[in-house]
């Protein structure tokens, strides 16, 4: 087994994905430990969750113009002190700037609640329902300068039922998000997933643009 990965998680809110990651680290499913949680929102429930697990947690303020201007630089400095092997955006609602992304190139992953490339950005569930899609899901991908556009590691889908509200769909997708994010991170920390330039390799085999199918992976287990 490779050395234990040092994971920094960036959040903005509830932190249910964070909780799934921490529990999977503690139970040994993920070969890593969450060494810090950083929030863009002072009142994020995820900060309380981190505190309960005694994980260093902080909030970076962006109230004044000066703070706004220096936000990414400050974030970069704070993240760097933890020397992370992996940075996970788990419900992080701020766009990272190019300097941050290039500083931690190939080490940042994001979970997005849609089947990318469909519906990058916000309100994904409502957009999928309005488009009368038959399925939705979530995507774990490497972060590049393109918003929600980096190479896809894994996708998992769930059905959309005819009377679904956006909340109902969001609950169904969240359930798969927790499992999928843990699975993707566990594969990265076991060094079974590698990124070279824009291509992802899973156990040394080139992945298609859609990444690993989480549903297929689960059927095989
Ligand atoms: C998740 O749906 C995630 O995909 C999206 O924001 C939500 C965060 O939920 N980017 P939580 O904070 O992990 O509970």
């Amino acid at each position: 087994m490779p050395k234990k990965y040092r994971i920094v998680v960036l959040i903005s809110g509830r932190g249910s994905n964070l909780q799934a990651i921490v529990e999977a680290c503690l139970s040994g499913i993920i070969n890593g430990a969450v060494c810090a949680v950083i929030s863009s929102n002072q009142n994020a429930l995820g900060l309380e969750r981190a505190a309960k697990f005694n994980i260093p947690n902080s909030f970076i303020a962006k109230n004044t113009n000066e703070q706004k201007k220096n936000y990414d630089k400050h974030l970069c400095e704070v993240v760097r002190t933890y020397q992370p092997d992996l940075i996970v955006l788990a419900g992080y609602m701020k766009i990272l700037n190019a300097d941050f992304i290039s500083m931690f190139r190939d080490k940042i992953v994001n979970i997005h609640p849609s089947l990318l490339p469909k519906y990058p950005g916000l309100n994904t569930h409502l957009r999928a329902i309005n488009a009368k899609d038959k399925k939705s899901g979530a995507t774990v991908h490497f972060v590049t300068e393109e918003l929600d556009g980096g190479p896809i590691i894994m996708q998992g889908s769930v059905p959309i039922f005819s009377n679904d509200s956006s909340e109902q769909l969001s609950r169904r997708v969240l359930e798969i998000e927790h499992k999928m994010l843990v699975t993707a991170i566990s594969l990265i920390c076991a060094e079974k997933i590698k990124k070279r330039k824009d291509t992802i390799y899973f156990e040394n085999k080139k992945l298609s643009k859609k990444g690993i199918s989480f549903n297929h992976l689960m059927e095989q287990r």
Side-chain angles (χ1 to χ4, degrees), residues 7-169:
I7 305 170
V8 168
V9 183
L10 305 190
I11 59 161
S12 298
R14 183 177 50 190
S16 67
N17 277 293
L18 162 71
Q19 174 113 16
I21 299 167
V22 173
E23 285 172 357
C25 288
L26 293 175
S27 66
I29 293 171
I30 292 177
N31 172 41
V34 176
C35 53
V37 173
I38 301 165
S39 173
S40 63
N41 163 14
Q42 189 164 19
N43 303 315
L45 178 60
L47 287 174
E48 287 173 34
R49 294 187 200 248
K52 279 198 187 135
F53 286 105
N54 290 320
I55 297 169
N57 60 90
S58 53
F59 147 70
I60 299 183
K62 49 175 188 312
N63 302 324
T64 65
N65 283 343
E66 192 63 16
Q67 285 171 339
K68 273 185 200 144
K69 206 175 88 197
N70 292 321
Y71 184 88
D72 285 274
K73 200 166 156 244
H74 189 182
L75 179 69
C76 217
E77 281 160 10
V78 176
V79 171
R80 238 168 49 174
T81 60
Y82 293 102
Q83 302 192 329
D85 301 298
L86 183 67
I87 299 166
V88 181
L89 312 187
Y92 185 66
M93 299 305 285
K94 244 193 122 283
I95 296 171
L96 294 167
N97 79 1
D99 289 344
F100 187 97
I101 294 169
S102 79
M103 166 75 71
F104 300 105
R105 179 134 343 256
D106 297 345
K107 286 188 179 173
I108 316 172
V109 299
N110 179 42
I111 176 127
H112 181 78
S114 82
L115 295 172
L116 290 170
K118 271 191 164 181
Y119 316 126
L122 299 173
N123 301 321
T124 54
H125 305 304
L126 195 61
R127 286 155 75 196
I129 290 170
N130 288 345
K132 302 204 177 335
D133 290 352
K134 294 275 177 284
K135 59 178 186 170
S136 186
T139 304
V140 180
H141 65 93
F142 281 105
V143 172
T144 60
E145 284 77 1
E146 189 190 339
L147 179 69
D148 297 326
I152 293 174
I153 300 166
M154 190 175 284
Q155 284 197 318
S157 67
V158 297
I160 301 181
F161 301 120
S162 52
N163 292 323
D164 264 349
S165 66
S166 160
E167 289 70 30
Q168 283 168 319
L169 178 57

